[in-house]
């Protein structure tokens, strides 16, 4: 009798736990996929033959060719200045599926079926890693991959390498096309002790220097600063800010699918990211209620106008229609020439010094990656809003007739 009761209750419990975990985590195993309706799965390793992704859920009839994706990849591409890794990867993207030439317009458009993208790896130098194949780089994920899986692809960091993020940038290029009027831009706002002066912020400037820095005066000192660090065999961290304009009000799914929650998860999912904040972020801890709450007025267009944006464009996990503002902190590159103390996989204490080609500040190339992740999350929420609510209600509402 007792045995029968145990058997009867156990499967029900398991079923409930499974459903609950699905609510908070749409990705069951093995966590190489993100998004709900705009769903991106990436594959590939740093020194494998290629990297790629499959984007499922992209709506049909959106014009799409490689030329729409390539400019974004070119911004992230390594080897473009002496301030990033010298690995030479053209990152030429191929669309393998999910597009077709529409007879009516003569344009290649998405078909609504999975879009597979592929980028060949062409400049691997695996021998650079043979010295450290059994040793763990302090700050890198060598130990954790080893202790989790019992083996690791040490060549260029394998799957733990940020090489994979090229596919996120490619997916982001498609995501940007889904939300009408969406403009997602990113900038490096701090490198080591050097912070931008917001009074000198100029979006045009980010394309004029190799650091994606919006302040010309700060950008002018970053080159010498990085050269000095590199000569010492060191590296440095950075803060990146992403601003998404044109995000319609109403995106976000409380409670477990908040827009800010999903943005934080997506940005935290970028390699080397150690902190994320939205709007005033951690600075909100220093504010009083009347300083922090963004006051409202009715604008000339009859739409609500916020007098500030401490919320970073999100309240209650739902977009307000203001620009969505997110910042993330990136740690310094762990692969450095300066010798560090560590252990090897056989339990011996040893020292390590990493040769090979590495970014002295990974925060620079993290800018286009951050933009892409924000674009993917917003596109996903845009499609979710359309799926659940249809057209977002128009504000102001009519007053009830009394
Ligand atoms: C664009 C970019 C480039 C990176 N390049 C390097 C690199 O050259 N060398 C390195 O040690 N880490 C590099 N990283 C960081 C590692 O991928 C990351 O620290 C590692 O995977 C461990 O993960 P975690 O830092 O998220 O814990 C890079 C990160 C990004 C975003």
């Amino acid at each position: 009798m007792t045995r029968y009761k145990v058997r009867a209750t156990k499967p029900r419990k398991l079923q409930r736990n499974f459903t609950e975990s699905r609510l908070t985590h749409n990705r069951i195993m093995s966590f190489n996929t993100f998004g709900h309706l705009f769903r991106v799965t990436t594959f590939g390793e740093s020194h494998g033959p290629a990297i790629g992704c499959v984007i499922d859920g992209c709506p049909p009839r959106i014009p799409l060719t490689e030329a729409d994706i390539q400019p974004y990849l070119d911004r992230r591409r390594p080897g473009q200045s002496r301030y990033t890794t010298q690995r030479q990867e053209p990152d030429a993207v191929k669309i393998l599926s999910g597009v077709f030439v529409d007879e009516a317009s003569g344009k290649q458009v998405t078909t609504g079926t999975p879009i597979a993208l592929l980028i060949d790896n062409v400049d691997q130098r695996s021998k650079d890693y043979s010295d450290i194949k059994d040793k763990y780089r302090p700050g890198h994920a060598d130990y954790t991959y080893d202790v989790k899986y019992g083996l690791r692809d040490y060549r260029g960091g394998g799957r733990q390498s940020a090489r994979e993020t090229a596919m996120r940038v490619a997916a982001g290029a498609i995501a940007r096309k889904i939300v009408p009027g969406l403009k997602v831009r990113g900038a490096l706002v701090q490198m080591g002790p050097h912070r931008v002066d917001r009074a000198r912020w100029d979006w045009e400037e980010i394309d004029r220097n190799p650091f994606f820095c919006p302040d010309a005066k700060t950008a002018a000192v970053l080159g010498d600063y990085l050269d000095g660090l590199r000569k010492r065999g060191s590296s440095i961290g950075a803060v990146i800010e992403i601003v998404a304009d044109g995000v319609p009000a109403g995106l976000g799914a409380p409670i477990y699918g908040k827009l800010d929650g999903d943005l934080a998860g997506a940005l935290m999912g970028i390699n080397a990211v150690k902190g994320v904040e939205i709007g005033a972020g951690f600075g909100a801890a220093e504010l009083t209620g009347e300083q922090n709450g963004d006051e409202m007025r009715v604008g000339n267009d009859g739409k609500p106008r916020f007098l500030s944006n401490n919320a970073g464009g999100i309240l209650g996990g739902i977009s307000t229609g203001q620009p969505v503002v997110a910042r993330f902190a990136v740690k310094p590159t762990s692969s450095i020439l300066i010798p560090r103390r560590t252990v090897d996989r056989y339990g011996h204490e040893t020292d390590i010094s990493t040769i090979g080609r590495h970014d002295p500040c990974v925060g620079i190339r993290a800018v286009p990656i951050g933009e892409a992740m924000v674009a993917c999350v917003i596109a996903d929420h845009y499609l979710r809003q359309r799926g659940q609510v249809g057209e977002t209600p128009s504000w102001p509402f009519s007053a009830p007739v009394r």
Side-chain angles (χ1 to χ4, degrees), residues 101-147:
V101 176
D102 172 40
E103 267 185 28
S105 65
K107 282 188 179 164
Q108 178 167 290
V109 296
T110 57
T111 57
T113 60
I115 302 169
L117 306 176
L118 198 77
I119 293 175
D120 289 326
N121 288 328
V122 300
D123 186 23
Q124 306 96 319
R125 261 199 232 156
S126 302
K127 67 172 171 23
D128 282 354
Y129 291 84
S130 45
D131 279 354
I132 61 161
K133 76 181 179 55
D134 295 328
K135 297 179 182 179
Y136 302 134
R137 285 168 290 178
H140 218 292
D142 304 333
Y143 167 70
T144 49
Y145 266 60
D146 225 1
V147 80

Side-chain angles (χ1 to χ4, degrees), residues 137 140-141 160 162 270-272 331 333-335 358-359 362 365-366 369:
R137 285 168 290 178
H140 218 292
Q160 78 206 43
I270 300 173
N271 314 47
K331 72 189 187 188
T333 323
S334 312
S335 306
H358 296 278
D359 289 279
V362 303
R365 293 200 299 132
I369 305 167

Side-chain angles (χ1 to χ4, degrees), residues 10-314:
K10 233 181 173 176
R12 272 209 302 274
K13 261 192 187 162
L14 274 177
Q15 179 60 42
R16 203 183 58 227
N17 290 342
F18 177 76
T19 314
E20 278 166 5
S21 71
R22 266 197 82 93
L23 283 174
T24 49
H25 256 284
N26 68 320
R27 307 154 293 183
I28 304 294
M29 284 276 243
S30 299
F31 300 95
N32 290 297
T33 300
F34 69 96
H36 289 250
L37 291 189
F38 185 80
R39 213 165 160 73
V40 182
T41 304
T42 71
F43 62 87
E45 285 83 25
S46 178
H47 288 200
I51 51 174
C53 72
V54 176
I55 298 152
D56 203 359
C58 181
R61 299 187 302 277
I62 296 177
L64 182 68
T65 67
E66 277 98 354
D68 294 314
I69 306 171
Q70 198 59 51
Y72 295 100
L73 287 166
D74 290 346
R75 291 176 77 229
R76 195 215 73 105
R77 202 154 61 80
Q80 298 198 84
S81 80
R82 67 175 201 275
Y83 307 111
T84 59
T85 167
Q86 292 309 298
R87 182 170 170 174
Q88 293 298 331
E89 290 288 350
D91 280 356
V93 68
K94 278 181 272 187
I95 304 178
L96 303 186
S97 68
V99 291
F100 193 66
V101 176
D102 172 40
E103 267 185 28
S105 65
K107 282 188 179 164
Q108 178 167 290
V109 296
T110 57
T111 57
T113 60
I115 302 169
L117 306 176
L118 198 77
I119 293 175
D120 289 326
N121 288 328
V122 300
D123 186 23
Q124 306 96 319
R125 261 199 232 156
S126 302
K127 67 172 171 23
D128 282 354
Y129 291 84
S130 45
D131 279 354
I132 61 161
K133 76 181 179 55
D134 295 328
K135 297 179 182 179
Y136 302 134
R137 285 168 290 178
H140 218 292
D142 304 333
Y143 167 70
T144 49
Y145 266 60
D146 225 1
V147 80
K148 179 177 173 68
Y149 297 111
L151 85 170
R152 75 187 165 92
D153 179 352
Y154 62 84
R155 304 161 311 156
R159 182 86 177 144
Q160 78 206 43
S161 160
R163 181 96 194 101
E164 179 269 350
T165 59
M167 299 324 304
R168 309 189 199 194
V169 171
I174 299 176
R176 287 173 195 260
K177 298 183 130 237
I178 291 176
V179 186
L182 176 68
K183 188 168 189 178
V184 184
R185 293 178 290 187
L188 183 142
V189 295
Q190 185 179 348
M191 185 191 289
H194 301 288
R195 290 168 197 258
V196 299
D197 180 342
R198 285 177 181 270
R200 292 194 295 254
W201 189 295
D202 176 4
W203 280 114
E204 305 276 304
E205 192 53 41
I206 57 169
D207 294 325
R208 292 193 204 117
N209 64 70
F211 311 108
F212 300 108
C213 181
D215 167 9
K217 211 167 163 188
T218 303
V221 302
L222 295 183
D224 284 349
Y225 175 66
L226 267 183
D227 281 339
L229 281 162
R230 216 188 11 206
K231 273 184 206 138
R232 287 200 290 116
S234 186
S235 62
I236 193 68
V239 178
I240 288 90
E241 181 164 315
I242 309 291
V243 181
D245 288 293
V247 181
L251 307 195
I255 299 291
Y256 298 113
K258 288 182 169 183
L259 184 59
D260 40 2
D262 282 357
L263 285 170
L267 293 172
M268 203 69 178
I270 300 173
N271 314 47
V273 172
K274 281 300 192 189
V276 178
E277 53 180 28
I278 308 286
F282 281 84
E286 291 173 22
L287 301 180
T288 58
E290 67 276 20
Q291 289 171 326
N292 179 65
D294 303 313
E295 291 184 290
M296 296 177 79
R297 281 283 175 252
V298 179
N300 293 337
D301 56 359
K303 299 278 168 217
R305 185 166 66 87
F306 291 88
L307 306 188
S308 53
N309 191 11
N310 290 316
I314 304 172

